[in-house]
Amino acid sequence: MEKSNGLQVILFPLPIQGCINPMLQLAKILHSRGFSITVIHTRFNAPKASSHPLFTFLEIPDGLSETETRTDDKTFLFTLLNRRCETPFRDCLAKLLVSSDSETEEKKQRISCLIHDSGWTFTPSVTKSLKLPRLVLSTYTVSFFLHHFALPKLRREVSQDSEQDDLVQDFPPLREKDLVRLLEEKREYLEPYLHMMLEATKSSSGIIFMSCEELNQDSLPKAREDLKVPIFAIGPSYSNFPASSGSLFTQDETCIPWLDKQEDKSVIYVSFGSLVTMTGAELIEIAYGLRNSGQPFLLAVRVGLVKGTEWIEVIPEELKAKLDEKGKIVKWAPQQEVLKHRAIGGFLTHNGWNSVVESVCEGVPMICLPFIWDQFLNARLVSDVWRVGLHLEHRIERNEIESSIRSLFFGNEGEAIRERMKLLKEKVGRSVKENGSAYRSLERLVDQISSF
Ligand code: UDX
């Protein structure tokens, strides 16, 4: 940490893995700039305080039952969280403000602002009554954040005659077939929830993206125009500030010595993040595809990935034995370390935004298999806009998976993808270095927080 600047920032992440990692990354960045950090978090999916001894963690009750935490409808979960956390959050924040005021001069850490996940929608009235400035962190890419407010309208207007491959006019670079899949997901309360999220963003002092101009050229100017608040695209800084310490799952470190034994750029890493679920039949197709490709593979199967099962018991014993010859299966990988490893040559991914950015930062080409929500748009950025990956077009079939791996590792298209990925990685890397666009954006953010 730089010398303390006497200012304290309060962070409030949404309790899912893909949102905790970027918030803790932001915490590390701000701490390195002299801010002291307090994280207010729910009891559900509480981050491990012991992994961050330099930050203060304060837990608030969320009132969620076991059954409620297991719902598939994320908007319902977030709506419940917003309803139940408002009072405990307000009490916690008010207490913090009072105790910060009563500190002696030398111990004083003035609370400068609250930075909360864009998914917390009750925050405007709380910070307004407590007279505390408020910034928003979005864990989505800029284009998804900007356009997803149009989803209720698109749901009403979804056209049956449009061509599957057509771009969705109000949601580029999403295609019609992606939109159809995206809207299949059960999301009750979507319209009021998005409305509150948009209002909370527009009334904030600014919005932060862990992304940069180089990855959002088309959408940043429009976001500035539409949202009318300062936008800070402070860039992905995984190499300086790894997010792995935010892991809610136990990482299986044994995959690193296993990767050490593999040849350079020979292994395909496969992972589907923290939310996606699939059927047993789909996992079996993926397993056959990996096995038949002949490439060594590292497959992360999260407990709960295949609903109603313990772990990988749906894979027949005979296939399991064959998989062990060339592959390794773990429950949760230290993903950023894995992607950094010299043995990794490709990433078969669900295209969560964190996974996509981590892959770009390490220059690993992707095979896209999005399942839900923003993943469809992220996948189109990878395959159609940056052209640094292949797209499986949701064909979860062993032959498709096998041939996409072969194309990525040995085909001409794979060669071209690797070349483009190398350039993209360099471009993004430059962005976070001194005078790069993300670097400058971070400077502006630090100035803004210091000026509150
Ligand atoms: C979800 C959405 O998909 C994402 O786009 C959104 O912005 C946040 O919520 P998730 O599905 O968990 O997140 O995917 P992703 O955004 O890729 O985040 C997963 C995180 O877990 C990554 O930081 C990744 O490094 C980590 N991870 C994943 C592991 O450390 N080990 C694993 O085995 C798998």
Side-chain angles (χ1 to χ4, degrees), residues 18 21 139 271 274 300 332-333 335 350 352-355 358 374-375:
N21 283 4
T139 59
S271 145
S274 65
W332 191 254
Q335 180 162 304
H350 70 305
W353 184 241
N354 294 293
S355 293
E358 289 162 18
D374 62 324
Q375 299 164 9

Side-chain angles (χ1 to χ4, degrees), residues 45-57:
N45 276 351
K48 281 193 200 103
S50 57
S51 308
H52 305 275
L54 298 173
F55 307 158
T56 305
F57 286 82

Side-chain angles (χ1 to χ4, degrees), residues 241-254:
F241 303 98
S244 48
S245 49
S247 192
L248 296 169
F249 303 83
T250 309
Q251 298 178 336
D252 186 337
E253 300 286 343
T254 62

